[in-house]
């Protein structure tokens, strides 16, 4: 059966489903990619998100869509595809990369082209004033993409500047039930009629597909992942990325394919209960994520580290917090550079915290609680 799902405006490009297929987890083989895309189609998903940096994902998508057209008569042109380009290189190199993506995906024109990872000021400068500007002008002049966007793992101010540049029609951001810090940016982008994609709400949002006993208990009658999806949808986020590797990964996408209503009373109460229980466990050591303590002279990302502590202690998602913490300093500009052990105890931050937290002590304690051997990222 094929689900008849709602499709919503995504910038100035074609309308997209509430869920977007993320392809990073299906790159083992053509069979795998084909199976995942076929399941996504059945789940009412029409939007695929990829990048040349995800191994051979683009090539496999191109082949899988062709196969689906031949075997199941699913018109290739029904799909909306977003791919990306890293903010580096000169115009000739960028043209080669653009054409390679198009060739891999076996399409005549890219629907949504995103600058991949505007994570630092130099990346935004690259696209607004540097070689990226020449490339973007080439794309626009020759009508080589339906719209331009960006993805970012950068800080609030940088994303705000990227949105304000008015160059982009969509953005891919980290938006999570357990990290609402970028929600105002998403709302700003939406008010400018940009499309907004939430990056990895299941995994980077707290590994919500594997809730701890505590989180399951606090979430009462609803699975925390379903609640997280509902929260983002109700905030108006256009589409949520779903990094699937098997058919079962789509069951919530099927369940929520048309679920655009506001949060109901039950959902509001469960979210409140999760927050209340978390606050109880953290007591007066809870970081309120207000960011007043920044900037730290040693560039410690205090709110990010203490957010991992909040999630580990308050929600019991220890495995998630450990994995994210141990990636610090090992993922270049895609994640934080300094961890709690880099704190110099200068105490600059302490008087700025409205919650009167002993920040240096909490950073030390968090480091001791979360540090272990690092895991590898899915892509480099
Ligand atoms: S005490 Fe540590 S976290 Fe606070 S400002 Fe100094 S170095 Fe930064
Ligand atoms: S000022 Fe205090 S509560 Fe706010 S983010 Fe920093 S540590 Fe957390």
């Amino acid at each position: 059966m094929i689900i008849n799902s709602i499709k919503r405006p995504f910038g100035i490009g074609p309308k997209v489903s509430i869920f977007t297929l993320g392809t990073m987890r299906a790159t083992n083989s053509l069979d795998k990619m084909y199976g995942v895309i076929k399941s996504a189609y059945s789940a009412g998903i029409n939007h695929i998100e990829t990048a040349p940096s995800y191994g051979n994902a683009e090539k496999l998508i191109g082949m899988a869509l062709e196969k689906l057209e031949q075997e199941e008569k699913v018109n290739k042109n029904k799909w909306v595809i977003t791919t990306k380009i890293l903010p580096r290189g000169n115009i000739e190199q960028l043209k080669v990369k653009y054409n390679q993506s198009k060739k891999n995906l076996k399409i005549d024109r890219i629907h949504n082209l995103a600058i991949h990872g505007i994570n630092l000021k130099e990346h935004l400068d690259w696209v607004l004033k540097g070689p990226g500007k020449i490339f973007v002008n080439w794309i626009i002049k020759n009508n080589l993409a339906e719209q331009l966007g960006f993805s970012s793992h950068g800080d609030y101010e940088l994303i705000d500047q990227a949105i304000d540049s008015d160059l982009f029609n969509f953005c891919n951001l980290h938006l999570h039930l357990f990290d609402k810090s970028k929600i105002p940016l998403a709302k700003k982008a939406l008010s400018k009629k940009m499309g907004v994609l939430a990056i990895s709400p299941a995994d980077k949002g707290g590994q919500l597909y594997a809730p701890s006993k505590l989180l399951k208990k606090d979430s009462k009658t609803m699975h925390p992942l379903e609640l997280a999806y509902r929260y983002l949808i109700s905030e108006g986020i256009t589409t949520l990325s779903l990094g699937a590797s098997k058919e079962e990964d789509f069951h919530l996408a099927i369940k929520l394919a048309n679920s655009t209503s506001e949060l109901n009373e039950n959902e509001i109460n469960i979210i409140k209960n999760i927050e209340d229980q978390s606050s109880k466990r953290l007591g007066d050591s809870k970081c309120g994520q207000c960011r007043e303590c920044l900037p730290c002279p040693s560039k410690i990302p205090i709110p990010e580290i203490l957010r991992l502590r909040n999630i580990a202690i308050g929600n019991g998602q220890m495995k998630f917090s450990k994995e994210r913490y141990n990636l610090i300093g090992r993922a270049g500009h895609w994640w934080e550079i300094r961890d709690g052990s880099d704190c110099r105890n200068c105490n600059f931050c302490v008087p700025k915290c409205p919650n009167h937290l002993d920040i240096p002590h909490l950073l030390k304690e968090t480091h001791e609680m979360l540090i272990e051997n690092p895991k590898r990222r899915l892509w480099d």
Side-chain angles (χ1 to χ4, degrees):
M1 193 178 79
I2 295 156
I3 299 295
N4 191 11
S5 65
I6 285 181
K7 311 286 188 303
R8 304 193 290 179
F10 186 67
I12 56 170
K15 289 183 177 181
V16 300
S17 44
I18 289 177
F19 288 89
T20 289
L21 176 64
T23 49
M24 210 193 283
R25 293 176 192 279
T27 56
N28 309 20
S29 65
L30 175 58
D31 278 354
K32 184 87 161 175
M33 185 64 81
Y34 178 74
V36 163
I37 290 181
K38 196 173 163 188
S39 299
Y41 178 72
S42 300
I45 291 174
N46 76 331
H47 185 205
I48 298 177
E49 204 256 356
T50 189
S53 7
Y54 302 164
N56 54 354
E58 282 188 337
K59 264 191 187 161
L60 293 177
I61 291 167
M63 290 190 279
L65 294 187
E66 216 162 60
K67 190 172 166 192
L68 200 63
E69 188 166 61
Q70 284 159 7
E71 295 188 2
E72 304 288 332
K73 309 285 174 259
V74 178
N75 188 337
K76 245 173 56 172
N77 297 324
K78 283 194 168 181
W79 294 94
V80 182
I81 300 178
T82 293
T83 193
K84 314 193 199 82
I85 196 150
L86 289 163
R88 60 180 182 226
N90 60 36
I91 181 66
E92 293 314 319
Q93 293 164 331
L94 292 161
K95 282 180 181 178
V96 170
K97 284 179 186 161
Y98 168 87
N99 284 319
Q100 189 60 52
S101 282
K102 220 172 55 158
K103 192 171 160 203
N104 288 342
L105 292 164
K106 299 177 185 282
I107 50 179
D108 300 328
R109 185 167 174 248
I110 288 171
H111 302 120
N112 304 326
L113 182 64
I115 306 299
H116 193 179
I118 295 192
N119 300 337
L120 302 172
K121 175 88 170 66
E122 66 206 56
H123 297 144
L124 186 58
D125 288 346
W126 179 91
V127 72
L128 296 181
K129 307 178 213 163
K133 186 177 178 185
I134 303 170
F135 172 67
V136 163
N137 288 343
W138 175 72
I139 294 282
I140 294 170
K141 188 175 157 215
N142 296 293
N143 200 19
L144 297 174
E146 290 191 29
Q147 59 176 342
L148 287 167
F150 71 94
S151 65
S152 180
H153 301 240
D155 65 28
Y156 193 97
E157 289 68 30
L158 183 71
I159 296 170
D160 201 25
Q161 286 168 23
I163 292 170
D164 276 340
S165 73
D166 289 330
L167 177 67
F168 304 106
N169 305 109
F170 69 94
C171 55
N172 302 354
L173 304 177
H174 278 282
L175 308 162
H176 307 300
L177 177 63
F178 289 163
D179 179 8
K180 298 175 183 163
S181 58
K182 308 272 172 23
I183 293 287
L185 289 169
K187 295 213 164 167
K188 181 175 182 176
L190 290 166
S191 73
K192 285 173 164 271
K193 306 273 182 241
M194 289 172 71
V196 178
L197 177 144
I199 302 170
S200 188
D203 189 40
K204 306 289 188 306
Q207 294 182 352
L208 299 179
Y209 46 79
S212 66
K213 277 188 190 151
L214 282 186
L215 185 53
K216 270 196 227 168
K217 188 166 139 256
D218 298 346
S219 193
K220 290 178 179 168
T221 50
M222 244 178 122
H223 194 287
L225 182 55
E226 181 176 353
L227 195 65
Y229 285 154
R230 282 283 300 129
Y231 165 73
L232 292 171
I233 297 166
S234 74
E235 289 290 339
I237 308 309
T238 324
T239 187
L240 320 180
S241 79
L242 175 71
S245 64
K246 54 191 182 311
E247 199 180 342
E248 302 88 86
D249 293 338
F250 292 95
H251 87 275
L252 281 177
I254 292 169
K255 185 173 178 187
L256 302 177
N258 293 293
S259 176
T260 53
S261 58
E262 289 186 2
L263 292 178
N264 60 38
E265 207 182 321
N266 184 45
E267 292 165 335
I268 292 169
N269 287 340
I270 298 175
I271 290 176
K272 184 172 179 310
N273 189 54
I274 291 173
E275 285 169 0
D276 288 350
Q277 297 304 324
S278 167
S279 297
K280 237 186 243 172
R281 286 175 201 123
L282 289 157
D284 57 12
S285 72
K286 179 178 177 173
C287 168
Q289 297 287 291
C290 65
R291 308 184 76 78
E292 295 291 324
C293 48
L294 298 178
C296 153
S298 300
K299 298 193 164 57
I300 313 289
I302 305 166
E304 281 69 30
I305 293 175
L306 296 187
R307 180 170 60 86
L308 295 179
R309 180 181 182 275
N310 283 354
I311 293 174
I313 297 173
N315 308 111
Q317 293 298 85
M318 186 63 80
K319 182 171 170 284
F320 163 77
S321 292
K322 282 190 172 181
E323 281 190 19
R324 293 300 287 165
Y325 191 80
N326 285 282
L327 267 182
I328 295 177
R330 294 179 174 91
H333 51 75
W334 298 94
W335 180 224
E336 305 299 342
I337 306 290
R338 293 176 210 278
D339 69 20
S341 67
D342 292 313
C343 171
R344 296 285 163 261
N345 291 302
C346 70
N347 280 333
F348 268 31
C349 54
V350 177
K352 293 191 275 182
C353 177
N355 292 9
H356 309 294
L357 298 182
D358 183 348
I359 296 172
H361 170 75
L362 289 176
L363 290 175
K364 186 169 183 290
E365 184 207 272
T366 306
H367 183 76
E368 284 164 5
M369 177 173 72
L370 299 180
I371 193 73
E372 57 178 18
N373 293 328
K375 303 266 185 310
R376 248 180 58 76
R377 301 179 74 212
L378 264 176
W379 64 279
D380 292 305

